[in-house]
């Protein structure tokens, strides 16, 4: 990336960086990203989720909508994402509003998942307390009985995708002794404005 003359549109550059991360050795999960949210109590929370889709509309991940992150997003529909690709000495930050994706998109991704993962989406009330591992396995046994054999479970109504619609992206390339390269993209009514940032 030419940090002195960044491209007008950040998405092709993101795609190139993401592809390079996918091809890098030592990165078993290049699509792993930190998702930061803010709850109704004003407290921030962060966790790792997996990027499953991206295009000019934004960046998509899937989760239980009754989880803490789902509750946070219902209360405050904004989020931040961070990718850290250590072997490439790169970081990428994304901030923006969040929307639930269309049911048809959630259905399509859910149906592409392994059957075991689909069953587990029914068995787990993500983020809710449970007394023991055996109790969790008991819930899964109940789901197995509900969808016996090779019965394909439908997508649970509480499970689906979210799209982070970027208003701000920052590309960071590390250099020795902290003289790093940084460029930030900020969405405007006319597209994207860019600024080179000091490290």
């Amino acid at each position: 990336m030419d940090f002195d003359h960044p491209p007008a549109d950040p998405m092709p550059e993101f795609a190139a960086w993401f592809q390079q991360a996918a091809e890098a050795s030592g990165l078993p999960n290049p699509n792993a990203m930190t998702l930061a949210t803010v709850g109704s109590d004003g407290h921030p929370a962060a966790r790792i989720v997996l990027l499953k889709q991206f295009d000019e509309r934004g960046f998509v991940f899937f989760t239980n909508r009754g989880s803490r992150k789902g509750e946070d997003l219902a209360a405050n529909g904004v989020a931040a994402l961070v990718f850290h690709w250590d072997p490439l000495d790169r970081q990428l930050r994304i901030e923006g509003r969040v929307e639930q994706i269309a049911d048809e998109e959630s259905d399509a991704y859910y149906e592409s998942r392994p059957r075991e993962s689909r069953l587990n989406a029914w068995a787990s009330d993500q983020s809710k307390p449970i007394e023991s591992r055996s109790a969790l396995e008991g819930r899964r046994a109940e789901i197995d009985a509900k969808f016996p054999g090779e019965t394909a479970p439908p997508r649970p109504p509480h499970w689906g995708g979210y799209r982070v619609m970027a208003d701000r992206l920052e590309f960071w390339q590390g250099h020795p002794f902290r003289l790093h390269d940084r460029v930030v993209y900020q969405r405007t009514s006319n597209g994207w404005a860019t600024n080179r940032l000091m490290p």
Side-chain angles (χ1 to χ4, degrees):
M1 183 175 188
D2 184 345
F3 283 81
D4 288 330
H5 304 93
D9 183 349
M11 289 308 296
E13 194 66 31
F14 174 86
W17 277 35
F18 190 78
Q19 182 64 33
Q20 290 161 14
E23 294 169 354
S25 61
L27 268 173
N29 295 297
N31 62 331
M33 58 187 184
T34 300
L35 166 69
T37 57
V38 179
S40 58
D41 58 4
H43 291 177
R47 75 290 284 162
I48 304 296
V49 298
L50 299 178
L51 177 70
K52 292 299 183 179
Q53 302 166 11
F54 68 90
D55 57 26
E56 68 282 350
R57 297 174 297 167
F59 304 83
V60 175
F61 65 93
F62 294 85
T63 191
N64 185 316
R65 291 178 174 155
S67 65
R68 182 178 177 188
K69 56 185 161 309
E71 291 175 350
D72 287 357
L73 292 171
N76 292 298
V78 294
L81 306 172
V82 180
F83 292 90
H84 179 224
W85 296 311
D86 199 44
L88 300 175
D89 207 10
R90 287 178 175 171
Q91 176 179 269
L92 203 143
R93 299 169 57 196
I94 299 162
E95 300 170 18
R97 295 167 293 110
V98 182
E99 66 177 6
Q100 292 186 11
I101 67 172
D103 286 344
E104 295 77 16
E105 293 177 271
S106 289
D107 289 342
Y109 176 71
Y110 182 79
E111 290 165 10
S112 76
R113 304 177 83 209
R115 184 172 182 273
E116 294 295 311
S117 297
R118 286 183 276 166
L119 292 169
N120 288 338
W122 280 95
S124 174
D125 287 335
Q126 191 177 86
S127 302
K128 304 301 185 288
I130 194 163
E131 58 271 20
S132 66
R133 175 77 191 187
S134 63
L136 180 60
E137 292 173 351
R139 288 177 62 94
R140 172 56 199 268
E142 292 172 6
I143 296 302
D144 287 345
K146 185 175 180 179
F147 301 105
E150 294 303 310
T151 304
R155 179 176 61 88
H158 58 263
W159 190 97
Y162 292 90
R163 177 178 291 109
V164 180
M165 300 172 289
D167 294 320
R168 179 184 174 97
L169 293 91
E170 182 188 315
F171 293 81
W172 181 98
Q173 177 68 65
H175 288 281
F177 309 111
R178 299 194 54 77
L179 209 61
H180 311 311
D181 284 319
R182 294 173 66 188
V183 68
V184 63
Y185 286 80
Q186 189 76 42
R187 191 183 295 277
T188 72
S189 58
N190 298 318
W192 294 96
T194 60
N195 280 295
R196 185 175 178 123
L197 304 179
M198 288 190 284

